[in-house]
């Protein structure tokens, strides 16, 4: 039964992909529309800056803000099973 379902899913995926390719006609992109006024293209450096460097910089800024503004309590942090946080060790030492 699994082979039949896999075959059905593959056929559905292939059919959907084929229909999407046939319905989207890239040849129409060559035809100019009324009022179409494209600007100048981007250089390689501008393209890399916009689509590579800007997202990486945004990720670094957000990650930095999350780390700097983290106000979670040290006892609530997830650690591996056999390790204790500094606060947990201090509490254990105070009780003993």
């Amino acid at each position: 039964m699994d082979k039949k379902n896999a075959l059905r899913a593959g056929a559905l995926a292939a059919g959907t992909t084929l229909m999407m390719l046939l319905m989207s006609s890239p040849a129409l992109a060559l035809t100019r529309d009324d009022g179409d006024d494209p600007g100048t293209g981007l250089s390689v450096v501008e393209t890399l800056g916009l689509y590579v460097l800007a997202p990486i910089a945004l990720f670094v800024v957000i990650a930095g803000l999350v780390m700097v503004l983290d106000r979670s309590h040290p006892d609530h942090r997830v650690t591996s099973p056999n390790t204790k946080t500094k606060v947990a060790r201090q509490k254990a030492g105070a009780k003993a």
Side-chain angles (χ1 to χ4, degrees):
M1 215 46 169
D2 285 340
K3 192 180 276 190
K4 192 174 191 179
N5 286 340
L7 185 63
R8 185 178 297 151
L12 180 68
T16 304
T17 305
L18 183 63
M19 287 304 293
M20 289 178 74
L21 285 173
L22 291 175
M23 295 301 286
S24 65
S25 179
L28 293 176
L30 298 175
T31 308
R32 303 296 294 269
D33 291 334
D34 291 336
D36 189 14
D37 188 22
T40 59
L42 295 176
S43 70
V44 173
V45 175
E46 291 172 332
T47 303
L48 288 174
L50 185 62
Y51 294 108
V52 175
L53 297 178
I56 290 173
L58 189 62
F59 175 80
V60 168
V61 167
I62 291 171
L65 286 172
V66 167
M67 289 191 300
V68 168
L69 300 175
D70 180 25
R71 304 244 188 258
S72 64
H73 201 274
D75 287 341
H76 297 165
R77 293 197 181 132
V78 177
T79 58
S80 39
N82 294 328
T83 60
K84 292 184 179 180
T85 61
K86 187 186 291 185
V87 175
R89 279 186 256 140
Q90 289 173 352
K91 283 184 181 180
K95 290 182 182 177

